[in-house]
Amino acid sequence: MEQTTEHTTAHATTPDGVRIAYQVRGAGAPLLLLAGQANNHHWWDGVRDDFHAVRSTITLDYRGTGESDKPDRPYSTEVFARDAIAVLDELGIDRADVYGTSMGGRVAQQLATRHPNRVGALVLGCTSPGGPHGVERDNDVRRSLAQPAPAAARQALLELMYTPDWLATRPGPHHTLGDPGMPAHARRHHLTASNRHDAWDLLPGIGTPTLVVHGSDDLLNPAANAPLLAHRIPGARLHLIPGARHAYFEEFRAVASPLVLDFLTTARPA
C-alpha cells in the first residue's frame, strides 16, 4: 500500500490494550523507522526527510515513551515488534520496508523473523544479535555511562554517539539521548527488553533482502556485531562507515541515507 499522508500523529491499540502513538510523513511506499532504546520518534528528526523524495516514513513511540501508554509490566523486543504490527494494521499496510537502529534494529530482527510477510527490505543499523553471541560494550564504556553525576553520564553518552568535531559545532538539543519524559519503570523495562534480546537462532530464517550498517568506531554497540549479523543472515550485505560512532545515521547522514535508499530501491527478494 502506498502512503500519501501528510504529517499526522494518531494511535493504534495493541491486542493487549496498549495505545501506541505513531507518526506518518511524506508520500510513497512505506518505510518503517524504529528508534533506539528508551527513545521516542524524535530519534529520527534529523534524517527522516532524507527519505521523503521517494518514500513515506512511519515512526512510533515505543510503549513507555512519548505519547504512547506506559504500562508497568515487562517489555521485550518481541512485544515492541507486535506493537509495530499493530501500527501497520491500523494504517492498512500489508508490507513495509523496515529500518531499525540500535534497539530498533533488534526489534526489526523480531519483525523479520516472526512476521516475515509484513517486511519487505530490511536495514539493521548499529545493532546486535544479542544473547551470548553478541559482542557487549567493554567495562570502561559501562562505567562511563554509570557515573553518578547526570551531566557526566550524559556527556559520556554524547561522546559515544558523536565524534568530537560534530559536537564542537552542534550544541544540541540532541534527540538520541533518551526520552526525558519516560517514567523510571519504563526505562527499566526498556533496558531489560534490550538486554534480553537474543535472535541468534532466528537470524538464519530471515529471507528478506537485508543490509547491515554500522559505524566503524561505535563503542556503545561494538562494530564487531555487524559482521556477526551479516554472516548469520543469508545473503545480507554489510557496510561499515569509517570514523562513525553510534549515531552514524545522523552525523554521517550524507553517506548513510543515500546508502539506505539505494539499497531499498535495488533490493529484490531472494
Side-chain angles (χ1 to χ4, degrees), residues 1-2 21-22 26 47 52 60 75 88 91 96 102 128 133 136 145 178 186 243 249 261 264 269:
M1 174 181 175
E2 199 169 86
Y22 65 89
V47 301
H52 290 154
L60 56 86
Y75 305 167
L88 296 182
L91 289 167
S102 199
S128 162
H133 294 92
E136 296 294 328
L145 295 172
F249 52 92
L261 270 175
L264 296 177

Short mmCIF file of all heavy atoms in Angstrom, two decimals, residues 1-2 21-22 26 47 52 60 75 88 91 96 102 128 133 136 145 178 186 243 249 261 264 269:
data_model
loop_
_atom_site.label_atom_id
_atom_site.label_comp_id
_atom_site.label_asym_id
_atom_site.label_seq_id
_atom_site.Cartn_x
_atom_site.Cartn_y
_atom_site.Cartn_z
N MET A 1 0.85 -1.20 0.00
CA MET A 1 0.00 0.00 0.00
C MET A 1 0.88 1.23 0.00
O MET A 1 1.78 1.37 0.81
CB MET A 1 -0.90 0.00 1.24
CG MET A 1 -1.73 1.27 1.39
SD MET A 1 -2.75 1.21 2.88
CE MET A 1 -3.43 2.86 2.81
N GLU A 2 0.60 2.18 -0.89
CA GLU A 2 1.39 3.40 -0.97
C GLU A 2 0.75 4.48 -0.12
O GLU A 2 -0.46 4.71 -0.16
CB GLU A 2 1.48 3.86 -2.43
CG GLU A 2 2.64 4.82 -2.66
CD GLU A 2 2.90 5.07 -4.12
OE1 GLU A 2 2.24 5.96 -4.67
OE2 GLU A 2 3.76 4.39 -4.69
N ALA A 21 1.38 5.50 19.99
CA ALA A 21 1.37 6.68 19.14
C ALA A 21 2.24 6.45 17.92
O ALA A 21 3.32 5.85 18.02
CB ALA A 21 1.87 7.90 19.92
N TYR A 22 1.78 6.92 16.77
CA TYR A 22 2.58 6.80 15.56
C TYR A 22 2.45 8.07 14.73
O TYR A 22 1.51 8.86 14.90
CB TYR A 22 2.18 5.58 14.73
CG TYR A 22 0.77 5.61 14.17
CD1 TYR A 22 0.51 6.18 12.92
CD2 TYR A 22 -0.29 5.08 14.88
CE1 TYR A 22 -0.77 6.22 12.40
CE2 TYR A 22 -1.57 5.10 14.37
CZ TYR A 22 -1.81 5.68 13.13
OH TYR A 22 -3.09 5.72 12.62
N GLY A 26 5.31 12.28 4.49
CA GLY A 26 5.75 12.03 3.13
C GLY A 26 4.76 11.25 2.31
O GLY A 26 3.64 10.97 2.71
N VAL A 47 16.94 13.06 10.24
CA VAL A 47 17.21 12.40 8.96
C VAL A 47 15.97 11.93 8.20
O VAL A 47 16.09 11.59 7.02
CB VAL A 47 18.16 11.19 9.14
CG1 VAL A 47 19.47 11.62 9.76
CG2 VAL A 47 17.51 10.10 9.98
N HIS A 52 11.96 11.29 2.00
CA HIS A 52 10.63 11.67 1.56
C HIS A 52 10.50 11.98 0.07
O HIS A 52 9.39 12.14 -0.43
CB HIS A 52 10.12 12.84 2.39
CG HIS A 52 9.81 12.45 3.81
ND1 HIS A 52 9.84 13.33 4.87
CD2 HIS A 52 9.51 11.23 4.35
CE1 HIS A 52 9.55 12.69 5.99
NE2 HIS A 52 9.35 11.41 5.70
N LEU A 60 7.09 5.45 15.39
CA LEU A 60 6.19 5.22 16.52
C LEU A 60 6.91 5.56 17.80
O LEU A 60 8.14 5.61 17.86
CB LEU A 60 5.68 3.78 16.52
CG LEU A 60 6.70 2.64 16.54
CD1 LEU A 60 7.12 2.28 17.95
CD2 LEU A 60 6.12 1.40 15.86
N TYR A 75 8.45 -5.55 29.19
CA TYR A 75 8.54 -5.30 27.76
C TYR A 75 9.59 -6.26 27.18
O TYR A 75 10.44 -6.78 27.88
CB TYR A 75 9.01 -3.87 27.46
CG TYR A 75 8.21 -2.74 28.06
CD1 TYR A 75 8.73 -1.46 28.05
CD2 TYR A 75 6.95 -2.93 28.64
CE1 TYR A 75 8.03 -0.38 28.59
CE2 TYR A 75 6.24 -1.86 29.18
CZ TYR A 75 6.79 -0.58 29.16
OH TYR A 75 6.10 0.47 29.70
N LEU A 88 1.04 -0.91 11.73
CA LEU A 88 0.85 -1.22 10.31
C LEU A 88 -0.58 -1.64 10.04
O LEU A 88 -1.18 -1.25 9.02
CB LEU A 88 1.82 -2.31 9.87
CG LEU A 88 3.31 -1.97 9.92
CD1 LEU A 88 4.14 -3.15 9.41
CD2 LEU A 88 3.63 -0.72 9.11
N LEU A 91 -2.86 1.32 9.89
CA LEU A 91 -2.68 2.08 8.65
C LEU A 91 -3.10 1.29 7.42
O LEU A 91 -3.08 1.84 6.31
CB LEU A 91 -1.21 2.50 8.52
CG LEU A 91 -0.73 3.58 9.50
CD1 LEU A 91 0.78 3.69 9.48
CD2 LEU A 91 -1.37 4.92 9.15
N ALA A 96 5.84 -3.40 4.70
CA ALA A 96 6.65 -2.19 4.69
C ALA A 96 8.12 -2.57 4.73
O ALA A 96 8.50 -3.60 5.29
CB ALA A 96 6.33 -1.30 5.89
N SER A 102 20.06 0.59 16.47
CA SER A 102 20.29 0.31 17.88
C SER A 102 19.24 -0.70 18.37
O SER A 102 19.05 -1.73 17.75
CB SER A 102 20.29 1.61 18.67
OG SER A 102 20.93 1.45 19.93
N SER A 128 22.74 -5.43 17.21
CA SER A 128 23.40 -6.65 17.67
C SER A 128 22.41 -7.80 17.64
O SER A 128 21.22 -7.59 17.80
CB SER A 128 23.91 -6.43 19.10
OG SER A 128 24.17 -7.66 19.75
N HIS A 133 25.97 -14.59 21.91
CA HIS A 133 26.78 -14.41 20.71
C HIS A 133 27.05 -12.94 20.39
O HIS A 133 27.94 -12.64 19.59
CB HIS A 133 26.09 -15.06 19.50
CG HIS A 133 25.99 -16.55 19.60
ND1 HIS A 133 24.90 -17.19 20.14
CD2 HIS A 133 26.87 -17.53 19.25
CE1 HIS A 133 25.09 -18.49 20.10
NE2 HIS A 133 26.27 -18.73 19.58
N GLU A 136 29.43 -7.43 23.61
CA GLU A 136 29.00 -6.40 24.55
C GLU A 136 30.01 -5.26 24.63
O GLU A 136 31.20 -5.44 24.35
CB GLU A 136 28.83 -7.01 25.95
CG GLU A 136 27.72 -8.06 26.03
CD GLU A 136 26.35 -7.47 25.79
OE1 GLU A 136 26.15 -6.29 26.16
OE2 GLU A 136 25.48 -8.18 25.25
N LEU A 145 29.01 5.37 31.53
CA LEU A 145 27.57 5.62 31.48
C LEU A 145 26.91 5.53 32.85
O LEU A 145 25.78 5.99 33.01
CB LEU A 145 26.92 4.62 30.52
CG LEU A 145 27.33 4.75 29.05
CD1 LEU A 145 26.76 3.59 28.24
CD2 LEU A 145 26.86 6.09 28.47
N GLY A 178 17.66 9.68 24.73
CA GLY A 178 16.59 9.15 25.55
C GLY A 178 15.44 10.12 25.70
O GLY A 178 15.61 11.34 25.59
N ALA A 186 9.43 2.58 33.07
CA ALA A 186 9.54 2.34 31.63
C ALA A 186 11.00 2.25 31.20
O ALA A 186 11.37 1.43 30.35
CB ALA A 186 8.82 3.44 30.86
N GLY A 243 34.97 5.90 10.66
CA GLY A 243 35.00 7.04 11.56
C GLY A 243 33.71 7.32 12.30
O GLY A 243 33.68 8.19 13.17
N PHE A 249 23.83 7.41 11.57
CA PHE A 249 22.73 7.77 10.67
C PHE A 249 22.47 9.26 10.66
O PHE A 249 21.94 9.79 9.68
CB PHE A 249 21.45 7.01 11.07
CG PHE A 249 21.10 7.17 12.52
CD1 PHE A 249 20.26 8.17 12.94
CD2 PHE A 249 21.64 6.31 13.47
CE1 PHE A 249 19.95 8.32 14.29
CE2 PHE A 249 21.33 6.44 14.82
CZ PHE A 249 20.49 7.46 15.23
N LEU A 261 18.79 4.31 0.96
CA LEU A 261 17.82 4.49 -0.13
C LEU A 261 18.19 3.68 -1.36
O LEU A 261 17.33 3.08 -2.01
CB LEU A 261 17.73 5.97 -0.51
CG LEU A 261 16.68 6.80 0.24
CD1 LEU A 261 16.81 8.27 -0.16
CD2 LEU A 261 15.29 6.28 -0.04
N LEU A 264 17.26 0.09 -0.62
CA LEU A 264 15.82 -0.13 -0.66
C LEU A 264 15.29 -0.11 -2.09
O LEU A 264 14.33 -0.81 -2.41
CB LEU A 264 15.10 0.93 0.18
CG LEU A 264 15.40 0.92 1.68
CD1 LEU A 264 14.68 2.08 2.36
CD2 LEU A 264 15.01 -0.42 2.31
N PRO A 269 13.70 -9.56 -3.51
CA PRO A 269 13.58 -10.78 -2.70
C PRO A 269 14.42 -11.90 -3.27
O PRO A 269 14.60 -12.02 -4.50
CB PRO A 269 12.08 -11.12 -2.78
CG PRO A 269 11.41 -9.82 -3.14
CD PRO A 269 12.40 -9.09 -4.00
#
